[in-house]
Amino acid sequence: MSRFSLAWITASALSATAVLGAPAFAQSTGAAAAAAKPVSLETMNDLALAAAVNVCELAVEQKLAVQNAVISNAKAITYVVTTAHGGQIAGSGKLEASQIVNGSIVQIVGRVKQGCYAKITAADKKFVDEVIAQYTAQATKAQPKK
């Protein structure tokens, strides 16, 4: 039984994003990236929703593994946030690419669960469930003890 890991997913997405040149482009723009306006939470939600629709289309109609489609879409969101907004998200400040990838993965997977979960394969459901379980476990650990 293979276990999925957000760390592995992040590493995979980041290595491919580096190939696309997102961090290099953001660094080359220097002051422009630093002066970029943070992306709004509304826009981030819109990006995640559009990505989830794309994931569902690719998984259901094209039979692409959800994991592959999610990573591809998380890379796209990370590229936009890094290059156009200097890695800044409203209310969060400047984020590392790995933080944007992780957040994007969780947001996309959550919307896939709400959208096309009933139509995806058992293996894809397992991936979705494991990502959500890992995120929930991490969020629970981060909660202050009472």
Side-chain angles (χ1 to χ4, degrees), residues 4-81:
F4 296 105
S5 165
L6 286 178
W8 176 85
I9 294 169
T10 300
S12 172
L14 284 175
S15 65
T17 302
V19 169
L20 291 173
F25 181 78
Q27 290 169 357
S28 69
T29 59
K37 180 180 176 187
V39 64
S40 72
L41 295 179
E42 180 181 16
T43 298
M44 286 301 294
N45 285 328
D46 290 346
L47 289 169
L49 179 58
V53 169
N54 189 40
V55 168
C56 287
E57 173 68 19
L58 291 170
V60 175
E61 299 299 326
Q62 303 300 318
K63 307 302 183 209
L64 181 68
V66 166
Q67 180 176 352
N68 294 345
V70 167
I71 290 170
S72 179
N73 280 276
K75 285 187 269 185
I77 291 172
T78 301
Y79 180 82
V80 169
V81 173

Side-chain angles (χ1 to χ4, degrees), residues 122-141:
D124 289 337
K125 287 178 183 175
K126 181 179 176 184
F127 169 75
V128 168
D129 293 340
E130 287 184 0
V131 168
I132 291 170
Q134 286 181 25
Y135 171 76
T136 302
Q138 289 174 358
T140 301
K141 285 181 188 176

Side-chain angles (χ1 to χ4, degrees), residues 111-129:
R111 284 166 176 80
V112 166
K113 177 90 176 189
Q114 294 172 337
C116 63
Y117 186 80
K119 297 179 181 180
I120 60 178
T121 68
D124 289 337
K125 287 178 183 175
K126 181 179 176 184
F127 169 75
V128 168
D129 293 340

